[in-house]
Each structure stands twice: as structure tokens, then as C-alpha cells.
Amino acid sequence: MTYRHLKKVFHAVGASAAGELHLARRNSEAALRWDLPVGEHTLFCILIPELVSLVEVIHRQEVEITRSWERLPPGVRGHYIRSLLLDEVVFTNAIEGVQSTRRQIQDALEDVRGASRQHRRFRELSHLYLALGHGNGVVPTSVQEIRELYDKIMDGELEEGERLDGELFRAEPVDVTDPGGRSVHRGFQPESKIIEGLHITLMAMSETQHAPLVSAVMSHFMFECIHPFYDGNGRTGRYLLGLRLSELLSTVTALSLSRILHEDRRKYYRAFSDVEDPLNRGDGTPFALMMMEAISESQQQLLTDLVAHHYLLGQLDEEMENLRQSGEIEPEHVRRILFLLGQIDLFGTSSGTRLSEIAAYLELSEQQTRHYLRNMEQDGLVSTTSLRPLRFILSPQGRRLLRLPEPGTDW
């Protein structure tokens, strides 16, 4: 049964009935309640059967994802995560109208310390997602840590008028406007209220006993509702949510959400405004439902992608066995390099694989490995993508030899 917004009840049967239903919902034993003001009311969410069922589906799908993930060759998992995080950064930027490409994010990851604004752009955000991808992200436990994260996320992005002027957050009011310039949301004010709201957000984010996944997505609503910064609230909020999802679910699920939110960002934005509608009286249940549906859909897309990659890996295994039996490619170390680069081609990025990684895979020195790679370059099987550090990818000829799909192929 579709969950009815209190606003619809108000228009259908009147203010009295809507008020009674609001009290019944908010005081229900199935309600999660927070002292976060939403207009004249405070935020709550009902653990209705549909929401509980979605949470169960998400956890079942997470088991499938884990099983599929563990079947992947260990050597390609890091490359797959890197590919996922490139998309995650691109899409979390795009939701806010910030244009970026996978190439830009890849370059930002490779840039250790660029001095110019152009080199700094996206660098800190990309490295934060890289830490999340490697399991090294840490959910903040204080408002000071939120500010520190924000400074990294927005490094090189802020114009002079967007810089923070409060003790930790903004000191002046801020409005979110629609394309026509009409205010659709005003963030918390003054700074003391921002800090109070963020303390509630942090408690919801770290909830472990009562519906932690629901509390996590509701903490995302809280953060965006508070709007502690002049700019960058969306990107910071989604990164915080990603950190928590990586703890409650998995890294790969956490790195797959922004694509789904971007695909239907009108629905995403509308879910925020619906909760804040005065007639809905702080009922966050529809927002939780929308976010759970988005997480579930991101998992389904991820599972489909993993199944496709497992199929392609099986084909690659067959091609390598054919090459071994035919004797077309010798010696064995060359075949092993082809196999490694073939796997990475299926799962990774176009930036190439470091010489050191190939040497570790072969259990040879870098000098010995470089000898094989030099011969493979001369034979047209691999190409160099960078000299510092030295990186290699399969050449078009090498990809054809292994019968790999063309880049961008819809499997």
C-alpha cells in the first residue's frame, strides 16, 4: 500500500484528520524520532512494512554482492574500485551542476601536490573517495571533523564570497533557490543552531541499535536541511553518507549510489522538499523510502555489472588457454602479463598499470619485468601510458588478440 503524505490527507479530508494522523504516526512505537526542527515540527520516520521490506532486500542483495565480489581475482578488485570511484565523483559533482570527467578525476588522483587551482581541483575530493574505496574512510564524530572534511572536499573550488565566515560554519543566512530564483529552502541560522543540528545528525549517522540504515539515510536529510555551508553541501553530504554506507553495507555499494541519484535527481530533490513542506509536518518516511529504493537499485545495477564481468573473465580464461595450447605467445611470463592486463582492461581505467604492480604479479624484479614489456611493446601488444610512474595498457592489437570487447561496449 502506498504511503500517503500528510499533505494529501490534509487536502483530502481536512486539517483535523491530518493532525490526528500526524500525532498517531509520530507517537507510534514504530517511529524513529529526532529533535531536529523541520518548520514548526520535528523530524520523524515510521518503520512501515514497505520500508522494513526494502531494508531486508538491501541486506539480501548485499550478501549476493559479497559473494560475487569474493569470486573476483584479488588483483583486479582495486582497479574495479578505482573505476567505481571515478564515476562516483563525476556523478556527485554532476548532481550539483559541477562538470567533471573521469579523466579529470584520474588526473587528480595522480597529482600529488599541484600548486595551481587547476591542479588542485577535485584532488582532495578524489583522494577522500580513494580512501573510502580502500576501507580507510572514517565517519566523523565531531562538528570539527565535519569542517575538516569540508575543507578537503572543496579545496580549490570556492570563490571568495563562498568562504566560511563563522567559527566553524557559515555566519550568514543562505537560501537554496529554484531555476527561477525562488527560495525553496533556507538553511539553519544562526551558527549555534547549525552546530546543534549537526550534533543530532552525527548521532543519527552513528546509530547502531535502532534501524541503523534508516538512520543513516535520514542523517543525510538532516545534513542537507541544516545546510551548514554556503556551497558544497550536497557533495559533502553524499560523501558522509557514502562513509556510513561503506560501514553498514560495502564499499562497492557506497561507490555506486550517486549515479542512481543523478539519473533521477528531480525525484531526489523533491524528496527533500516534500519533508520540508509544512503540511507534511516533518514526516521523513517518504524520504527514507526514496533513498532505500535508490540504494537497492544501485545494488541491482552493480550485481548486473559483476555478472557481466564474471562472464567476460570466463571468456578471457578460454582465450588464454587457447594461446597456451597453440604456442602462439611465448614465454609464459608474456602470457601472464597479457592475462593481468586483460583482467584490468575489463575492470579498470585507461590510465594503465604500474610496472611495480606487474612485477609483483610475476614475482620478478622490475628490471626483469621491463625486459618482457619492452619486447611486448615492440611486438605491438602493449603500450606505455606514462613514464613517471611507468604504466602499461594493452594495445588495440593486444586487445584483439584476447578478443576483449571494445571500450564502452554495452555487455
Side-chain angles (χ1 to χ4, degrees), residues 6-107:
L6 288 169
K7 180 178 181 177
K8 292 185 177 180
V9 176
F10 174 89
H11 288 301
V13 294
S16 178
E20 290 177 8
L21 181 57
H22 164 245
L23 291 176
R25 285 179 174 180
R26 195 180 188 289
N27 296 328
S28 166
E29 291 183 357
L32 302 175
R33 294 175 287 271
W34 300 275
D35 290 329
L36 188 94
V38 181
E40 296 180 359
H41 303 277
T42 53
L43 184 65
F44 71 95
C45 174
I46 307 290
L47 298 177
I48 59 173
E50 184 181 355
L51 184 57
V52 173
S53 177
L54 274 168
V55 171
E56 291 173 351
V57 167
I58 287 168
H59 284 294
R60 284 200 301 271
Q61 289 175 166
E62 199 58 44
V63 172
E64 294 181 52
I65 289 169
T66 299
R67 288 173 178 164
S68 187
W69 182 256
E70 290 177 347
R71 288 172 51 215
L72 292 178
V76 304
R77 293 175 191 169
H79 291 274
Y80 192 22
I81 284 176
R82 195 177 184 94
S83 182
L84 288 174
L85 83 84
L86 294 183
D87 282 340
E88 184 69 10
V89 176
V90 167
F91 284 112
T92 195
N93 282 335
I95 290 170
E96 304 304 318
V98 177
Q99 297 303 310
S100 58
T101 64
R102 285 173 59 94
R103 180 75 262 174
Q104 284 178 306
I105 306 307
Q106 181 65 49
D107 289 345

Side-chain angles (χ1 to χ4, degrees), residues 1 4 24 29 37 41 53 61 83 92 94 117 137-138 174 193 218 227 235 252 284 312 316 321 323 328 396 405 411:
M1 181 176 179
R4 294 191 74 188
E29 291 183 357
H41 303 277
S53 177
Q61 289 175 166
S83 182
T92 195
R117 186 174 188 269
V138 179
V174 66
K193 294 294 185 183
M218 292 310 299
H227 224 70
R235 281 170 283 177
V252 287
L312 292 171
L316 178 60
E321 179 61 20
L323 289 175
E328 179 181 351
W411 304 315

Side-chain angles (χ1 to χ4, degrees), residues 316-336 338-339 401-402:
L316 178 60
D317 282 335
E318 291 180 8
E319 292 302 326
M320 293 307 303
E321 179 61 20
N322 291 338
L323 289 175
R324 186 189 68 80
Q325 292 186 2
S326 69
E328 179 181 351
I329 299 296
E330 296 289 350
E332 181 185 358
H333 286 314
V334 172
R335 290 199 301 273
R336 292 187 66 199
L338 284 172
F339 185 50
L401 177 68
L402 300 181

Side-chain angles (χ1 to χ4, degrees), residues 36-276:
L36 188 94
V38 181
E40 296 180 359
H41 303 277
T42 53
L43 184 65
F44 71 95
C45 174
I46 307 290
L47 298 177
I48 59 173
E50 184 181 355
L51 184 57
V52 173
S53 177
L54 274 168
V55 171
E56 291 173 351
V57 167
I58 287 168
H59 284 294
R60 284 200 301 271
Q61 289 175 166
E62 199 58 44
V63 172
E64 294 181 52
I65 289 169
T66 299
R67 288 173 178 164
S68 187
W69 182 256
E70 290 177 347
R71 288 172 51 215
L72 292 178
V76 304
R77 293 175 191 169
H79 291 274
Y80 192 22
I81 284 176
R82 195 177 184 94
S83 182
L84 288 174
L85 83 84
L86 294 183
D87 282 340
E88 184 69 10
V89 176
V90 167
F91 284 112
T92 195
N93 282 335
I95 290 170
E96 304 304 318
V98 177
Q99 297 303 310
S100 58
T101 64
R102 285 173 59 94
R103 180 75 262 174
Q104 284 178 306
I105 306 307
Q106 181 65 49
D107 289 345
L109 286 171
E110 295 301 323
D111 176 39
V112 178
R113 285 292 159 190
S116 68
R117 186 174 188 269
Q118 179 64 30
H119 283 91
R120 288 203 320 271
R121 196 171 194 216
F122 308 132
R123 186 187 65 208
E124 294 294 346
L125 176 62
S126 301
H127 280 276
L128 283 172
Y129 272 102
L130 185 62
L132 189 160
H134 289 165
N136 297 324
V138 179
V139 175
T141 57
S142 69
V143 294
Q144 290 82 3
E145 290 177 359
I146 290 177
R147 170 60 193 270
E148 290 168 5
L149 270 178
Y150 172 78
D151 287 341
K152 292 178 180 178
I153 289 170
M154 298 304 292
D155 182 46
E157 287 289 291
L158 296 174
E159 302 296 338
E160 189 59 38
E162 298 168 334
R163 300 188 187 281
L164 296 173
D165 48 4
E167 182 179 347
L168 286 173
F169 304 104
R170 57 178 169 78
E172 299 297 323
V174 66
D175 289 290
V176 179
T177 59
D178 62 16
R182 181 176 62 93
S183 176
V184 295
H185 172 73
R186 169 160 285 199
F188 281 26
Q189 190 67 22
E191 189 179 17
S192 60
K193 294 294 185 183
I194 292 174
I195 292 172
E196 287 177 17
L198 289 177
H199 281 303
I200 296 170
T201 302
L202 287 169
M203 286 190 289
M205 195 183 302
S206 60
E207 175 63 54
T208 58
Q209 297 298 317
H210 304 292
L213 189 56
V214 176
S215 292
V217 299
M218 292 310 299
S219 76
H220 181 52
F221 169 83
M222 296 177 198
F223 185 86
E224 303 305 334
C225 182
I226 295 164
H227 224 70
F229 312 113
Y230 292 115
D231 188 35
N233 294 280
R235 281 170 283 177
T236 304
R238 283 186 293 278
Y239 178 73
L240 289 171
L241 177 60
L243 283 174
R244 186 61 175 139
L245 292 182
S246 71
E247 293 181 341
L248 295 172
L249 300 172
S250 66
T251 296
V252 287
T253 295
L255 291 174
S256 304
L257 182 57
S258 286
R259 176 192 291 271
I260 299 300
L261 297 178
H262 176 262
E263 287 175 358
D264 199 352
R265 53 193 179 279
R266 288 187 178 180
K267 181 179 179 181
Y268 176 55
Y269 286 136
R270 187 170 61 248
F272 285 102
S273 58
D274 283 347
V275 180
E276 293 187 81

Side-chain angles (χ1 to χ4, degrees), residues 255-307:
L255 291 174
S256 304
L257 182 57
S258 286
R259 176 192 291 271
I260 299 300
L261 297 178
H262 176 262
E263 287 175 358
D264 199 352
R265 53 193 179 279
R266 288 187 178 180
K267 181 179 179 181
Y268 176 55
Y269 286 136
R270 187 170 61 248
F272 285 102
S273 58
D274 283 347
V275 180
E276 293 187 81
D277 190 306
L279 294 179
N280 283 323
R281 304 178 184 230
D283 187 352
T285 310
F287 181 86
L289 285 167
M290 181 279 299
M291 289 298 295
M292 291 303 168
E293 289 169 354
I295 292 170
S296 177
E297 186 177 349
S298 70
Q299 289 178 312
Q300 292 165 26
Q301 286 195 7
L302 178 61
L303 280 167
T304 299
D305 192 59
L306 285 167
V307 168

